[in-house]
Amino acid sequence: QVQLVESGGGLVQPGGSLRLSCAASGSIFSISAMGWYRQAPGKERELVARIVSGGRANYADSVKDRFTISRDNAKNTVFLQMNSLKPEDTAVYYCNTEGYSGSTFDRRYFEVWGQGTLVTVSS
């Protein structure tokens, strides 16, 4: 019932920037948290950044001071602004959203993943 659509990935040179977007749609009552994870070839999926409903955000040490996560609550959309990109940032980036679908008196918890968007940092 709740789906995520990611966009914004692509090929960028080292030092460049990209902005990823993830829009949640469906019967959403509220969103508790939205985050970005990434998985490089041969590696496990890791947290990149996560933002909770109150606005507090946390980041992986490897992206701290370079990436910024933000939200457009009215559109149920989360963004990841990626600056000063490095080759080691190359990965498939996945959006994750937690929240409740339905209504005040008939709601269900959900956690969904986006389809992934490829970010390649190379000269």
Side-chain angles (χ1 to χ4, degrees):
Q1 287 187 311
V2 179
Q3 296 180 323
L4 306 180
V5 178
E6 302 179 28
S7 63
L11 175 64
V12 65
Q13 294 184 341
S17 298
L18 284 173
R19 190 182 76 158
L20 306 183
S21 299
C22 174
S25 62
S27 184
I28 299 172
F29 177 74
S30 64
I31 291 177
S32 301
M34 302 186 82
W36 291 95
Y37 295 72
R38 68 186 181 187
Q39 187 167 23
K43 301 294 181 65
E44 294 187 352
R45 190 172 301 185
E46 64 174 351
L47 172 71
V48 177
R50 187 171 185 265
I51 187 166
V52 298
S53 60
R56 183 181 298 108
N58 62 288
Y59 300 88
D61 288 341
S62 60
V63 307
K64 188 177 180 181
D65 300 323
R66 297 189 297 121
F67 293 7
T68 302
I69 188 169
S70 61
R71 304 168 301 174
D72 184 339
N73 292 332
K75 297 182 178 180
N76 292 325
T77 300
V78 64
F79 305 94
L80 185 67
Q81 180 65 46
M82 310 165 68
N83 297 327
S84 302
L85 283 162
K86 304 175 180 179
E88 49 264 45
D89 295 318
T90 296
V92 177
Y93 285 70
Y94 296 92
C95 179
N96 174 269
T97 299
E98 302 174 60
Y100 293 89
S101 62
S103 64
T104 300
F105 302 106
D106 186 18
R107 64 183 186 268
R108 296 168 61 88
Y109 172 81
F110 71 86
E111 181 180 10
V112 297
W113 291 88
Q115 80 280 6
T117 184
L118 177 63
V119 172
T120 302
V121 184
S122 176
S123 59

